Amino acid sequence: MRFVPPVPRRSALVVHVTLAAQVLTVAALVVFEHVRGRRLAREISALGGDPHAPGAQAVVGAVTVFAVLVMLVAVATVAGAAAYLTWLVQARQNAALSWTPALPVLAAWLVPGVNLVLPPLLVHRLWRASRPPADRRPRWVALLAAWWLSWLATLAVAVIRLPFGAPHGNSDLTGLGLADLAVVALGALLCAATVRQVTAIQAAGARASAHALTLAAQAGPFHVAAGGRRQSQARISSQPSPAVSKRSS
């Protein structure tokens, strides 16, 4: 009997948590930008980058808060990427794909250029290997395409807004706004939806396999007993009766 790895429910939950953390940290950064960031950018510009200039101490607290928020966004993003890759590797192993090592997954996501095309193909192959119902394919393809387009939009937002900390036209710190937050939130939501769908399909397949094994285990003793009775009856019928033995003698 082939060993089937467990369904990666826990790693899927970690993906959802880290995606939520990423959205929340970006939202906090956007709120800071609108409440304090624009005024802080003007104050930093007036100081001319001199930490000893008059009034420099007055902005230390705000700069510290901004730095902490940027750090939290970075940590949440890295944690989300690590959680997603962990889930992807485990889900591929559970689907019993022929190329189960983690190296192809890491290469698909980390090699520049390749990571713009190959990841959704790998996820689609994972979905097919999980044996989903045939009628779900159109909805899945639409979900996968929407997620990947939103992810590319999120990546574009990150590239355009980097480096953090450099005032954009002396009017704000990062340039992040509600539209950027909406793109990040949409990408996270669609990513979580793809993870949830693949995990649910694998969980349903695991339940069906477990039910089939249970039925086989319950039917096993009955078949053995029935087979034993049939063999005993065959042996009895093959033996000649006493009357036949007397006539033959």
Side-chain angles (χ1 to χ4, degrees):
M1 180 181 296
R2 181 178 63 85
F3 171 73
V4 178
V7 178
R9 293 188 182 91
R10 180 174 299 180
S11 58
L13 177 61
V14 175
V15 172
H16 295 158
V17 171
T18 52
L19 288 175
Q22 182 183 15
V23 174
L24 290 176
T25 53
V26 173
L29 190 58
V30 170
V31 170
F32 179 85
E33 178 75 62
H34 283 269
V35 173
R36 182 71 174 88
R38 293 174 180 174
R39 180 158 53 92
L40 180 60
R42 292 193 296 268
E43 293 171 352
I44 293 175
S45 178
L47 293 174
D50 184 5
H52 303 290
Q57 293 298 320
V59 301
V60 170
V63 170
T64 302
V65 172
F66 172 72
V68 170
L69 289 176
V70 171
M71 190 185 334
L72 290 177
V73 171
V75 170
T77 302
V78 172
Y84 184 83
L85 291 177
T86 300
W87 168 83
L88 191 57
V89 171
Q90 293 179 0
R92 290 171 65 245
Q93 292 173 346
N94 184 74
L97 290 170
S98 59
W99 31 279
T100 54
L103 185 58
V105 176
L106 297 178
W109 280 92
L110 300 180
V111 175
V114 176
N115 57 6
L116 299 178
V117 179
L118 193 55
L121 301 179
L122 295 182
V123 177
H124 181 61
R125 184 175 179 181
L126 167 63
W127 181 82
R128 288 193 306 171
S130 301
R131 299 180 180 87
D135 59 346
R136 294 188 182 181
R137 188 177 186 279
R139 287 184 296 174
W140 163 256
V141 172
L143 173 62
L144 185 65
W147 163 62
W148 192 244
L149 290 176
S150 66
W151 161 249
L152 293 179
T154 302
L155 186 63
V157 167
V159 172
I160 292 172
R161 303 311 184 190
L162 289 177
F164 284 120
H168 289 64
N170 296 333
S171 61
D172 49 29
L173 293 172
T174 63
L176 289 174
L178 295 178
D180 304 310
L181 176 60
V183 170
V184 173
L186 179 62
L189 181 63
L190 294 175
C191 180
T194 59
V195 170
R196 182 179 180 276
Q197 186 164 144
V198 173
T199 305
I201 292 172
Q202 292 190 354
R207 287 193 298 269
S209 300
H211 182 65
L213 290 175
T214 301
L215 293 179
Q218 292 174 351
F222 171 77
H223 289 306
V224 171
R229 286 195 298 270
R230 286 195 296 268
Q231 292 178 359
S232 299
Q233 292 173 358
R235 285 196 298 269
I236 293 173
S237 63
S238 64
Q239 294 178 358
S241 63
V244 174
S245 300
K246 289 180 180 180
R247 286 197 298 268
S248 62
S249 60

